Amino acid sequence: MSAVRLVELLLTAEIFNRYEELTEDDIPKEIRKLLYNRGGIRRPVTIKEDVVIKYAGKIEQKPPFVDLNAFSKQYILTSFDLAVKWFASRGVERIKKNPALAYYYQNYDSLDVSYEEAKKANLPKHGDREWLRSVIEELEKSEDAKEMLSLVRVMSPEEIPVDFKDVALSEEQLEEVRKIEIALEERAFLRKIGLSDIGKLLFIGPPGTGKTTTARALSKKLYLPLLEVKLSMITSQYLGETSKNIEKVFEIARKMNPCILFIDEFDYVAKMRTSDEHAAIKRAVNTLLKSIDDINLVEDGVLLIAATNHPSLLDPAVWRRFDKVIEFPEPAEKIRMKIFQIFLARIDGDFNIDELVELTDGFTGADIKLVVREAVLKALLEGRKRLSQHDLVEAIQEVKERLKLKTSY
């Protein structure tokens, strides 16, 4: 198997080098991650011994058409044609999962291989942690961008700690997610028909209802990098810098496209708009609104999500910038049931979820998560890893007392 993986590496590199129409997305993720350099993967791709060891392990006996340069530690194919023939008889299943190889082999010796199918099954580069790091390294060459990146949290889908299946959403919310998925897949068609102002979502609802969690889970589901910024963080004590910071955030999003730009604490714009003391504040607000106008999913590959706990503070000039407002209310019974099912799925115990749902009227998803946390920790203190219904009911009462305390001040 190590020899097969070695030849796969060498053929992938050789075919990628020969055909300029192939892109980094045509290299399988597992191989691609080993080849990133500053700014991406540059031709000609060479395969060094350390890359081979990481991908194929130690090579005890290499095929006769493979050579290792003792000085440069680089593996090379001494006969491309022999390598192609050899791999065709041993690696068809690997070819089907490797777009670069499928591109070459789909017309070779009647092999049942499809480049299009291999391409569809291969995750794109923009979700790779390594690709994202290489883009950030390039951006950090600019001092302005480097400073701005310190205010923005950038995460690859691989670094997102929550799966989309673990987020409890209503049918209406799920339908909006499906629309975004379709818009991403059909960007070329939407551009062709002139429908480009798509992909600006405003999430509204009380704290703890899942706005941030949903934005992060979308990053993982859509396999898009996430740029997360709190609006209050990019407002500068030097008034003239705020407009520059806003422009820089949107510029970084464009350079990292396709991606999700998630702006939290969006109601902070209202505080800015009511500050009539300085013209620079007005310029900053206008810069933000213009930046929102000038970016979209179809043309720029940027899905913009803004979130606010206080939608009443936003005026019509802000609301009309978004093509869809998605409400995150305190979860109804059906959603609370989903949340309990998700949180308790990996916990041993006997539960009456109907009773738990009834007892948690008015609880947010964050409150329910706190209930499960308290119940689990208390059980562990008592030396138990199995929960009872009583543990959870008791934890609900404790959280209720905490919520009362919070609202009494």
Side-chain angles (χ1 to χ4, degrees):
M1 180 57 76
S2 60
V4 171
R5 288 172 75 89
L6 165 64
V7 177
E8 180 186 9
L9 265 179
L10 295 171
L11 282 175
T12 300
E14 182 63 30
I15 291 167
F16 181 76
N17 290 336
R18 288 187 180 200
Y19 297 94
E20 291 191 1
E21 57 267 37
L22 296 178
T23 70
E24 292 155 319
D25 285 342
D26 291 304
I27 300 176
K29 178 178 176 178
E30 192 182 359
I31 296 176
R32 194 170 61 213
K33 282 172 162 285
L34 301 173
L35 302 177
Y36 282 119
N37 205 333
R38 293 182 74 90
I41 299 175
R42 294 187 175 91
R43 291 179 172 91
V45 173
T46 58
I47 303 298
K48 297 291 185 75
E49 188 176 29
D50 60 332
V51 171
V52 170
I53 290 171
K54 287 175 186 174
Y55 186 70
K58 189 169 174 144
I59 307 299
E60 300 293 345
Q61 185 173 4
K62 59 185 186 296
F65 47 81
V66 173
D67 194 20
L68 172 63
N69 186 304
F71 177 72
S72 66
K73 300 296 182 184
Q74 178 181 333
Y75 276 93
I76 58 171
L77 291 173
T78 55
S79 172
F80 176 74
D81 292 339
L82 281 178
V84 166
K85 186 176 181 181
W86 184 91
F87 197 74
S89 65
R90 293 167 174 82
V92 174
E93 290 308 310
R94 304 192 80 81
I95 294 169
K96 289 179 179 180
K97 297 175 184 176
N98 185 319
L101 296 185
Y103 180 84
Y104 183 86
Y105 275 102
Q106 67 179 350
N107 297 315
Y108 180 87
D109 200 24
S110 302
L111 287 183
D112 183 21
V113 171
S114 164
Y115 168 66
E116 289 302 323
E117 290 301 315
K119 183 93 168 176
K120 283 180 189 174
N122 195 41
L123 288 168
K125 68 175 182 182
H126 55 247
D128 295 350
R129 184 190 295 109
E130 293 78 4
W131 177 82
L132 201 53
R133 284 178 184 163
S134 72
V135 172
I136 290 171
E137 284 174 2
E138 286 297 302
L139 287 172
E140 285 180 338
K141 290 177 180 178
S142 160
E143 282 303 316
D144 284 348
K146 188 174 183 179
E147 185 179 348
M148 194 66 250
L149 282 164
S150 67
L151 301 178
V152 178
R153 186 177 185 186
V154 182
M155 291 182 281
S156 76
E158 298 170 326
E159 296 167 316
I160 301 293
V162 58
D163 283 317
F164 191 77
K165 63 181 175 58
D166 294 332
V167 180
L169 297 177
S170 67
E171 276 305 313
E172 292 79 9
Q173 290 167 329
L174 288 170
E175 184 177 342
E176 292 308 317
V177 170
R178 288 192 285 269
K179 287 178 184 175
I180 293 299
E181 284 186 282
I182 291 295
L184 272 168
E185 291 171 10
E186 300 291 348
R187 281 175 65 192
F189 170 74
L190 292 170
R191 192 181 299 118
K192 180 182 175 182
I193 65 172
L195 194 58
S196 60
D197 207 17
I198 291 175
K200 300 173 191 177
L201 310 179
L202 179 62
F203 287 1
I204 64 171
T209 50
K211 299 183 295 296
T212 300
T213 300
T214 300
R216 291 175 179 174
L218 270 175
S219 165
K220 196 155 193 172
K221 179 177 177 59
L222 302 175
Y223 205 64
L224 295 175
L226 178 70
L227 282 70
E228 192 175 301
V229 61
K230 288 180 168 34
L231 191 55
S232 61
M233 288 287 290
I234 59 174
T235 56
S236 172
Q237 58 179 318
Y238 306 107
L239 293 176
E241 293 298 313
T242 299
S243 292
K244 290 181 182 176
N245 286 348
I246 290 168
E247 288 174 343
K248 192 62 68 176
V249 164
F250 281 82
E251 182 185 331
I252 287 171
R254 282 191 176 88
K255 287 184 177 177
M256 288 188 176
N257 86 86
C259 69
I260 297 174
L261 173 56
F262 176 55
I263 305 177
D264 204 0
E265 298 180 352
F266 198 73
D267 44 274
Y268 196 82
V269 71
K271 296 175 187 175
M272 293 165 66
R273 284 180 77 84
T274 54
S275 298
D276 295 328
E277 304 163 0
H278 204 291
I281 291 289
K282 292 182 180 178
R283 281 199 301 274
V285 172
N286 289 334
T287 297
L288 176 62
L289 298 181
K290 186 175 186 304
S291 296
I292 294 172
D293 283 338
D294 291 346
I295 204 165
N296 64 70
L297 181 63
V298 175
E299 297 290 347
D300 304 294
V302 178
L303 171 60
L304 173 65
I305 302 175
T308 175
N309 300 334
H310 308 287
S312 60
L313 296 179
L314 303 179
D315 66 27
V318 176
W319 281 83
R320 64 172 174 261
R321 258 70 188 186
F322 296 91
D323 54 84
K324 191 66 184 179
V325 177
I326 302 179
E327 190 176 0
F328 286 77
E330 290 179 349
E333 285 188 11
K334 187 176 178 182
I335 298 298
R336 293 204 304 280
M337 181 166 288
K338 279 187 189 177
I339 295 170
F340 270 115
Q341 288 169 343
I342 289 167
F343 285 156
L344 296 174
R346 288 175 286 183
I347 299 174
D348 188 24
D350 293 316
F351 314 117
N352 180 347
I353 292 181
D354 288 335
E355 181 189 9
L356 299 176
V357 168
E358 190 177 332
L359 291 172
T360 52
D361 185 34
F363 276 39
T364 65
D367 296 333
I368 294 172
K369 186 176 183 179
L370 185 58
V371 165
V372 176
R373 173 189 176 276
E374 291 298 312
V376 168
L377 290 178
K378 190 165 184 182
L380 288 174
L381 277 176
E382 297 173 3
R384 295 183 288 116
K385 292 184 178 177
R386 180 181 172 84
L387 286 190
S388 68
Q389 182 76 358
H390 176 73
D391 292 325
L392 290 160
V393 171
E394 200 172 67
I396 288 170
Q397 296 309 317
E398 288 180 16
V399 172
K400 280 184 177 179
E401 289 302 316
R402 185 180 302 188
L403 292 173
K404 280 183 191 174
L405 190 65
K406 188 169 73 172
T407 55
S408 66
Y409 286 94

